[in-house]
Amino acid sequence: KGGWEEDESMDEAARREALEEAGVLGDTEKVLGFWHYQSLRYADQTYEGFMFPLRVSDELHQWPEMASRKRTWATVNQVMDGCSHWWMREALEKLVARHAMLQSAL
């Protein structure tokens, strides 16, 4: 979750945010969608969130925000149980459905 700069596309911003916040590199897949949501920190602010899946290809041992963030791998159910944002849960449901559809096509 984060913003994007004027000189980058949204998927470039998603990859940059993944690098900065979790220390992972990879390729983004097709956008899952976009959602309007209220900020938890600033109740009067509404944001538009775009969610991109990231196929992780590398984990870095050091990354920009490692002092303030921890990287943890989790199952889909663990993420669903711990997610406080309805729109992120909805995006994850879309991702699970997309992968189930791809698996059934194989």
Side-chain angles (χ1 to χ4, degrees):
K1 188 167 76 105
W4 66 87
E5 306 298 328
E6 289 184 19
D7 65 339
E8 65 185 353
S9 66
M10 283 189 283
D11 66 314
E12 288 171 332
R15 288 192 304 273
R16 178 182 47 76
E17 289 289 338
L19 168 64
E20 291 174 358
E21 295 182 2
V24 294
L25 302 172
D27 295 317
T28 51
E29 296 177 0
K30 181 181 172 190
V31 66
L32 293 168
F34 68 95
W35 291 263
H36 291 93
Y37 64 95
Q38 292 294 123
S39 169
L40 295 178
R41 184 178 294 166
Y42 307 105
D44 60 337
Q45 293 289 319
T46 300
Y47 294 97
E48 187 173 61
F50 292 80
M51 294 292 286
F52 292 87
L54 180 77
R55 184 171 300 274
V56 175
S57 60
D58 197 14
E59 293 179 54
L60 304 178
H61 295 290
Q62 295 184 320
W63 64 93
E65 297 181 19
M66 66 185 285
S68 59
R69 299 182 186 271
K70 297 205 184 309
R71 175 177 56 217
T72 302
W73 291 102
T75 66
V76 170
N77 288 335
Q78 289 170 327
V79 174
M80 287 291 220
D81 289 345
C83 188
S84 60
H85 301 285
W86 66 269
W87 59 278
M88 289 183 179
R89 284 191 305 272
E90 190 172 295
L92 185 55
E93 289 169 357
K94 285 187 169 196
L95 178 62
V96 169
R98 179 186 293 175
H99 281 272
M101 190 178 352
L102 290 173
Q103 290 296 324
S104 68
L106 296 177

